[in-house]
Amino acid sequence: MQKGFVREQSAHIVPVVVDLVRRWQAAGNDTLFTRYLNYPGSPFERFFGWQQLQSSPDIEVYSQAIL
């Protein structure tokens, strides 16, 4: 999970996601991770004025989610 998506209200989800990924991988399944980047001039910025997840630290992987 990326830091820009983790808030006080959602932080409790991080360990749940880590556990799900670990169990999925332990079962021999592949995992694909992606990173979202809200680039300058994106539709989110133009239409909503949303400028988060454009640079560090927002785009970095939340440290507890590193497997």
Side-chain angles (χ1 to χ4, degrees):
M1 297 177 70
Q2 287 174 259
K3 289 181 179 181
F5 288 117
V6 178
R7 302 278 183 268
E8 182 180 337
Q9 299 85 351
S10 64
H12 68 282
I13 298 298
V14 175
V16 175
V17 172
V18 170
D19 179 58
L20 287 171
V21 170
R22 286 187 176 149
R23 288 191 290 138
W24 180 257
Q25 290 175 335
N29 297 299
D30 294 329
T31 307
L32 174 69
F33 295 95
T34 62
R35 183 183 305 232
Y36 177 74
L37 177 61
N38 182 29
Y39 59 91
S42 74
F44 289 105
E45 185 181 69
R46 289 192 323 260
F47 299 132
F48 307 112
W50 189 59
Q51 296 180 335
Q52 293 177 302
L53 284 121
Q54 289 188 353
S55 61
S56 293
D58 285 349
I59 63 170
E60 295 172 11
V61 174
Y62 194 74
S63 63
Q64 290 183 6
I66 296 174
L67 303 175

